[in-house]
Amino acid sequence: MKAYVLEEIGQLAYKDVPTPQLGDDEVLVEVVNAGICGSDIPRIFKTGTYHFPTIPGHEFAGIVRQAATEANKRFIGKNVGVFPLIPCMECEPCQDMAYEMCKSYNYLGSRTDGGFAEYVAVPVWNLIELPSEVSFEDAAMLEPTCVALHAVRQADMMEVRSAAVYGCGTIGMLVLQWLAAMGIENIYAVGTRKEQQELAAGLTTCTFCSCHEKNPVAYIREQTDGAGVDVVFECVGVSESINNAVSLVRAGGQVVFVGNPAGDITFDKQIYWKILRQQVAIYGTWNSSFTKEREDDWHMAVRAIRTGIIRPSAQITQRFSFDRLHDGLQVMQDKGVFTNKVMVGRELS
Ligand SMILES: [Zn+2]
Ligand SMILES: [Zn+2]
């Protein structure tokens, strides 16, 4: 089969490799769509995968083509999404079914071969069956969609009437979609580009604030009569945005830290005082819940996509055929080009 193999940092070779051999608990998934994650750029060009050679790509969906055992043959022909984290099933978080916090997990696309290939060996446990109304492009975005949902579910949303999302990348935009789907009346989005504003306007009824044009803290304070919003989702991960996120929240409000840190994070003293004196609740969030139950993030997301409440694929800004993955990676590194989600698609064999 054809695959993109990371042989060393910066060396992603498009080449013929053997189709994966299946373990007993695995099926062979033919990839139809694979999204390029923001994290794939440093993974491919800066930090590398956990070992080499590895096929990257952890956001993908496709069709089951082969099964190793008779019992798993029932999956053949099914359209599937894939939870990329393979938990150890033994550590404390795994015992509590909090697999996203597993202490020694395997991961499709960073620790073991992933979705930038024609075929991937996927444990049956990691599959989520797709209803026919869910497209492969939407399903290939289940992972970031669930990361966003998981972030929203960290906060107590029962009394929330106003929310701000700081940062309008893939996850920030998906958080906006979930907040709109929940019927939050006043949603503010803080971004940097006109194109983000247009995309957000097409998906939600949020008020957009460009931090190049206005001071987002002053603007949102003004819009909320000086009070600030009930909850803020910080989706950037640098000190400035984190300090601003805390500035934006009302007394007694909630802040969810979503963005992965680009470096050390420093709180201004007055911001730290605010957390104490105004009893601001701070939450962290990581990955998504996949317990195989109706209420986990993945099953909720599939239902929301199926009914059209959430439209992840509406965030796709560029599409490339499978043989042009390098062009997709290039476009994501070009700061002049607006991207939200770059999607690679294959014609079925
Ligand atoms: Zn990702
Ligand atoms: Zn574990």
Side-chain angles (χ1 to χ4, degrees):
M1 67 169 185
K2 281 270 191 285
Y4 289 86
V5 182
L6 191 66
E7 296 178 326
E8 54 186 288
I9 292 173
Q11 300 284 339
L12 187 68
Y14 183 47
K15 61 194 250 186
D16 282 303
V17 295
T19 302
Q21 295 291 313
L22 297 181
D24 274 356
D25 59 343
E26 291 176 332
V27 292
L28 193 69
V29 173
E30 180 174 9
V31 177
V32 179
N33 280 107
I36 306 178
C37 179
S39 71
D40 287 325
I41 302 299
R43 188 171 292 119
I44 291 167
F45 296 102
K46 260 193 210 148
T47 57
T49 41
Y50 275 75
H51 43 74
F52 303 111
T54 300
I55 300 170
H58 58 269
E59 301 177 4
F60 62 96
I63 303 171
V64 177
R65 294 301 190 198
Q66 277 177 36
T69 63
E70 205 57 43
N72 289 336
K73 288 221 162 90
R74 67 195 164 92
F75 290 103
I76 293 174
K78 295 253 160 73
N79 297 356
V80 291
V82 177
F83 179 63
L85 187 151
I86 303 168
C88 76
M89 297 292 180
E90 277 164 22
C91 70
E92 279 163 54
C94 281
Q95 296 290 318
D96 293 338
M97 295 171 80
Y99 303 113
E100 71 275 20
M101 292 189 283
C102 175
K103 291 173 181 170
S104 65
Y105 56 88
N106 205 344
Y107 209 88
L108 296 164
S110 71
R111 299 182 181 212
T112 187
D113 289 341
F116 294 158
E118 286 181 86
Y119 297 96
V120 188
V122 179
V124 164
W125 185 87
N126 293 71
L127 301 176
I128 184 163
E129 272 183 49
L130 302 174
S132 59
E133 302 92 331
V134 174
S135 72
F136 287 111
E137 283 189 339
D138 279 321
M141 287 184 69
L142 271 169
E143 197 268 341
T145 301
C146 293
V147 166
L149 174 59
H150 200 63
V152 173
R153 292 176 94 184
Q154 300 297 331
D156 177 1
M157 299 299 290
M158 289 299 281
E159 305 290 327
V160 166
R161 288 165 179 220
S162 58
V165 178
Y166 208 109
C168 290
T170 311
I171 302 293
M173 200 65 74
L174 285 161
V175 170
L176 283 171
Q177 287 208 51
W178 282 112
L179 294 174
M182 292 175 80
I184 306 300
E185 292 101 319
N186 291 308
I187 305 172
Y188 299 91
V190 180
T192 52
R193 301 181 72 123
K194 188 102 197 117
E195 297 95 328
Q196 291 172 335
Q197 179 168 10
E198 288 161 7
L199 184 55
L203 292 166
T204 69
T205 52
C206 69
T207 304
F208 186 87
C209 172
S210 165
C211 51
H212 293 329
E213 286 165 18
K214 292 176 200 140
N215 175 334
V217 176
Y219 177 72
I220 293 172
R221 282 268 185 77
E222 187 189 298
Q223 296 289 311
T224 53
D225 296 325
V229 293
D230 296 331
V231 60
V232 182
F233 296 89
E234 197 290 324
C235 301
V236 182
V238 300
S239 293
E240 187 193 358
S241 56
I242 287 173
N243 280 277
N244 282 351
V246 176
S247 283
L248 285 175
V249 81
R250 69 164 167 80
Q254 312 173 76
V255 181
V256 183
F257 289 159
V258 189
N260 292 2
D264 289 344
I265 302 296
T266 312
F267 282 109
D268 299 346
K269 188 178 177 192
Q270 105 229 32
I271 296 295
Y272 196 81
W273 269 122
K274 174 174 176 171
I275 296 172
L276 304 188
R277 286 176 177 272
Q278 298 194 0
Q279 304 192 104
V280 174
I282 305 277
Y283 301 99
T285 183
W286 188 247
N287 211 301
S288 56
S289 68
F290 185 78
T291 60
K292 325 265 305 179
E293 293 163 328
R294 188 178 152 75
E295 292 313 314
D296 76 13
D297 296 331
W298 285 66
H299 287 80
M300 274 186 80
V302 165
R303 289 197 298 279
I305 293 168
R306 177 186 203 167
T307 50
I309 295 170
I310 298 285
R311 295 186 293 139
S313 59
Q315 293 182 204
I316 297 173
T317 44
Q318 287 87 4
R319 290 176 169 84
F320 292 96
S321 57
F322 180 65
D323 58 326
R324 291 184 58 211
L325 175 76
H326 278 110
D327 292 340
L329 294 169
Q330 183 61 46
V331 115
M332 285 181 67
Q333 290 171 286
D334 183 344
K335 295 284 173 230
V337 180
F338 171 64
T339 61
N340 189 271
K341 176 54 71 182
V342 177
M343 184 61 66
V344 171
R346 278 190 63 244
E347 296 291 324
L348 291 175
S349 54

